[in-house]
Amino acid sequence: MDWSTVAISALISAIISTGFGLAVVSQSTVLQMRAQAREEAVRELSAVARDLQRQLLRHQDSDSPKGLRSEETMAMDDLSDAHRVIAASSGLGRRRQRQAMLLA
């Protein structure tokens, strides 16, 4: 066995291990970014839900400046609230986006 064979073997091994390492690092980075996006979307949805709960409590306390509201009619606030929920759920996975869309 001569030195050129050992050097070529070491070079090939280094190239393969570097490529494998880069693939693992990039995949873990992508997974981490997706997890952060989902976490941010959950925070936004929680904030929207808290705001909607406060509005509901004010409405139940008859503190609404528009007076009592009929359950059969839709108001523009309903559409804007639904849009806020759908926009906040954009960072979630497809299944959870669909659930948010159904709830909105």
Side-chain angles (χ1 to χ4, degrees), residues 11 15 18-19 21 24 34-35 40 48 50 54 61 64 82 88 90 104:
L11 182 64
I15 290 171
T18 301
V24 169
R34 286 180 184 167
E40 182 63 31
V48 169
R50 277 193 301 274
R54 283 190 209 111
D61 290 343
S64 176
S90 65

Side-chain angles (χ1 to χ4, degrees), residues 49-64:
R50 277 193 301 274
D51 186 42
L52 290 174
Q53 287 173 341
R54 283 190 209 111
Q55 289 178 9
L56 179 63
L57 288 174
R58 276 196 310 258
H59 182 72
Q60 287 175 345
D61 290 343
S62 297
D63 193 20
S64 176

Side-chain angles (χ1 to χ4, degrees), residues 40-50 84-85 88-89 92 100:
E40 182 63 31
V42 167
R43 280 192 205 119
E44 284 185 44
L45 278 173
S46 297
V48 169
R50 277 193 301 274
R84 287 179 22 206
V85 169
S89 68
L92 298 175

Side-chain angles (χ1 to χ4, degrees), residues 1-13:
M1 178 148 68
D2 60 354
W3 289 104
S4 64
T5 306
V6 172
I8 291 173
S9 176
L11 182 64
I12 291 172
S13 176

Side-chain angles (χ1 to χ4, degrees), residues 36-104:
Q36 288 174 347
R38 282 192 303 267
E39 191 175 314
E40 182 63 31
V42 167
R43 280 192 205 119
E44 284 185 44
L45 278 173
S46 297
V48 169
R50 277 193 301 274
D51 186 42
L52 290 174
Q53 287 173 341
R54 283 190 209 111
Q55 289 178 9
L56 179 63
L57 288 174
R58 276 196 310 258
H59 182 72
Q60 287 175 345
D61 290 343
S62 297
D63 193 20
S64 176
K66 298 176 185 173
L68 292 177
R69 199 182 129 177
S70 172
E71 292 183 14
E72 290 82 29
T73 60
M74 250 175 69
M76 286 303 290
D77 292 340
D78 297 339
L79 296 176
S80 64
D81 291 337
H83 181 269
R84 287 179 22 206
V85 169
I86 291 169
S89 68
S90 65
L92 298 175
R94 291 184 193 270
R95 184 175 59 93
R96 289 189 177 165
Q97 279 182 352
R98 183 154 172 82
Q99 288 175 343
M101 179 72 103
L102 291 174
L103 289 174

